[in-house]
Amino acid sequence: MQIAIAGAGYVGLTTGACLCELGHTVSVVEVDPIRLERLERGESPFYEPGLTPLLNRHLGANLRVTGSLSEGLAGARVLFACVGTPPRRTGAPDLGFLRRLLTDIRQRGAAWTDGAQPVVVLKSTVPPGTNRWAQGFLGDRFAVVSNPEFLREGTAIADFFHPDRVVVGAESAAAADLVASLYDTVDAPVMMTGWEEAELVKYATNAFLALKVSFANEIAALCDGLGADAPPVLRALGLDQRIGERFLAPGPGFGGSCLPKDLAALRWKAQRTRVRLDLLPAALRANRRQRQRVIAKLGPVSGKRVAVWGLAFKAGTDDVREAASLEIIPQLLSAGAEVVAHDPEARETFARAIPAEQHPGLRLVADPWEALAGADALLILTEWPIYRSASPEAIRAALKGDLVVDARNLLDPERAAQAGLRYKGVGRRGPGT
Ligand code: UGA
């Protein structure tokens, strides 16, 4: 099928490239000229494993990129709206980009499909009620379908081809069937729902994942208090099939562009709907506290040099949005610490968010071991494999001090202690904790 995609962000570009792989013909419309130029050269504008080769396999064949919506729409039966919905201060998502896109589509009328009813699929994460509003806005010449995405950054391509489910929310059965048929060769249950239900599945999923992470972090904090070891507790918890093992790894608190934003949006929507939800604010509060718990493990930092390994909000991405590093590093600097930080992929994005020239105590380095030289302590914030495989002996030899705060529980506490490190994990029983 011929498909147009508006927006070449994580979701739009991954969806576009993967739909090509399924045999569809896709035009990706990107309005940002710099991004477009990179795409035309076959480069992904962000780091996502496997995406650049996939783009190059299809560019010039069944994938094209364009800056013009009219060009993208020509001959397409379906348009996927994958534009950003960034959060406002209230938590409400800003639907400005979506409104502009729908205005453009409405102005162009329904002519782009050669007579068949065009289908506009909202893949952007939008609050319940938005698809219904979009249908009213576009009118009956169009059919609006909600098809939320569940792609994780870093594993987005595998997530596309092996989803746990595909959710299609619509009022028009014909439009729903058409969208579902795009995924015919993907082996996953397809849930057909109404608009609001599909919109809520997306928010409820991310909110539940955030709750799960916060729960694991609180159990780990309790383990710290009790002198107990969290990993076996959480593993046994996860083996209960009603709970499940995934998303129970304690850490520095969840980040990224989705979990914090979607939790805040759902809370905002509940307030607007005058429905009191107690768990969502608690998960956000617990997440803020988790960052402070990590900082507290370092002890007084004034006049100390702290090496930080990991700036991205998780491994496998260069994204630092809502990353623990963005909250923790400025606090260490304000407390009088000097920070030397490394990340294999996210140094540039971090430097854009926190320019080093505005923070004289901050240095970003390209070699993880260089960060350790002369440092009093090491703080590990992201679970990159290169940090996991670092030997405690080598860390001890490179560090000036002996303190390691491992906010991702990558190192073995006993081996670290044997190497002469004062090791503090998250809910790890061990010498020095
Ligand atoms: C999340 C969802 O997992 C995707 O299903 C969804 O499509 C996406 O948001 C979205 O709404 O677009 P993502 O933000 O890429 O994906 O990241 P996750 O893998 O969910 O991780 C979120 C945060 O939780 C990270 O900071 C991660 O380090 C943290 N986390 C995750 C933990 O601290 N412990 C865990 O056990 C799992």
Side-chain angles (χ1 to χ4, degrees):
M1 194 179 306
Q2 193 163 331
I3 298 164
I5 298 213
Y10 278 104
V11 175
L13 202 54
T14 310
T15 304
C18 292
L19 284 169
C20 286
E21 192 73 6
L22 294 184
H24 302 293
T25 302
V26 177
S27 293
V28 175
V29 183
E30 174 54 55
V31 290
D32 179 79
I34 298 172
R35 205 166 247 229
L36 182 63
E37 200 207 322
R38 290 191 67 174
L39 285 171
E40 281 167 342
R41 288 201 307 266
E43 270 173 39
S44 166
F46 47 81
Y47 174 74
E48 180 62 38
L51 187 55
T52 298
L54 201 60
L55 287 176
N56 283 293
R57 187 148 69 237
H58 295 287
L59 265 175
N62 55 339
L63 175 66
R64 66 175 181 156
V65 289
T66 168
S68 145
L69 183 64
S70 308
E71 232 176 83
L73 285 179
R77 177 71 206 279
V78 177
L79 170 114
F80 278 82
C82 300
V83 292
T85 53
R88 294 177 190 274
R89 256 170 15 109
T90 53
D94 181 349
L95 300 182
F97 294 120
L98 181 65
R99 180 183 273 276
R100 241 165 286 158
L101 173 67
L102 296 183
T103 305
D104 278 356
I105 291 173
R106 189 169 65 174
Q107 274 164 3
R108 276 170 180 79
W112 40 280
T113 56
D114 298 329
Q117 188 187 37
V119 177
V120 175
V121 181
L122 301 200
K123 219 176 213 332
S124 308
T125 299
V126 291
T130 309
N131 278 268
R132 191 172 293 282
W133 162 79
Q135 183 68 73
F137 186 83
L138 289 174
D140 292 344
R141 283 179 305 166
F142 298 86
V144 172
V145 175
S146 167
N147 175 218
E149 56 84 20
F150 303 100
L151 309 175
R152 288 164 302 167
E153 289 181 21
T155 52
I157 292 168
D159 288 349
F160 182 94
F161 292 118
H162 308 284
D164 291 336
R165 76 299 207 194
V166 172
V167 176
V168 178
E171 294 242 308
S172 147
D177 287 342
L178 186 82
V179 173
S181 75
L182 296 174
Y183 300 98
D184 267 351
T185 50
V186 170
D187 182 24
V190 178
M191 290 262 325
M192 300 289 213
T193 70
W195 284 316
E196 282 77 11
E197 290 77 9
E199 291 163 330
L200 262 174
V201 171
K202 168 71 189 185
Y203 280 106
T205 303
N206 276 356
F208 191 80
L209 293 172
L211 284 171
K212 219 174 163 189
V213 171
S214 278
F215 185 80
N217 285 336
E218 291 209 328
I219 293 296
L222 191 57
C223 286
D224 272 339
L226 294 169
D229 204 26
V233 176
L234 292 166
R235 176 150 161 70
L237 175 76
L239 284 173
D240 187 320
Q241 291 195 13
R242 293 166 300 177
I243 296 171
E245 286 181 83
R246 291 160 73 185
F247 269 74
L248 284 178
F254 57 80
S257 67
C258 304
L259 263 50
K261 164 172 120 45
D262 291 354
L263 216 63
L266 193 55
R267 187 175 60 167
W268 165 81
K269 192 69 195 177
Q271 277 164 357
R272 289 273 302 249
T273 317
R274 298 191 191 291
V275 175
R276 182 179 159 153
L277 301 181
D278 290 324
L279 293 178
L280 305 187
L284 285 166
R285 236 183 3 256
N287 204 47
R288 281 195 296 273
R289 192 180 299 283
Q290 191 64 12
R291 309 272 203 241
Q292 300 311 316
R293 287 196 180 109
V294 170
I295 293 175
K297 284 174 190 282
L298 283 167
V301 293
S302 178
K304 302 261 172 70
R305 182 187 289 186
V306 180
V308 175
W309 274 1
L311 300 167
F313 81 94
K314 65 172 186 178
T317 176
D318 61 357
D319 198 341
V320 298
R321 283 176 288 178
E322 304 276 341
S325 63
L326 278 190
E327 271 184 64
I328 291 176
I329 291 177
Q331 289 190 46
L332 297 179
L333 294 168
S334 312
E338 196 187 325
V339 172
V340 186
H342 171 267
D343 188 288
E345 297 294 339
R347 292 194 303 282
E348 253 179 58
T349 42
F350 185 85
R352 277 202 291 276
I354 299 199
E357 54 278 14
Q358 290 168 21
H359 298 274
L362 172 64
R363 203 152 52 87
L364 303 181
V365 292
D367 176 355
W369 299 100
E370 188 189 335
L372 301 194
D376 297 285
L378 166 64
L379 169 62
I380 305 177
L381 287 180
T382 312
E383 72 284 24
W384 286 106
I386 46 161
Y387 304 149
R388 199 184 289 278
S389 62
S391 94
E393 292 76 20
I395 293 175
R396 182 68 195 91
L399 260 187
K400 184 177 90 175
D402 63 357
L403 177 61
V404 173
V405 173
D406 179 3
R408 293 288 184 170
N409 288 345
L410 303 186
L411 306 183
D412 176 56
E414 276 184 22
R415 263 195 71 194
Q418 277 160 13
L421 292 170
R422 211 153 39 93
Y423 177 84
K424 298 187 186 185
V426 182
R428 292 315 307 269
R429 183 172 58 199
T433 302

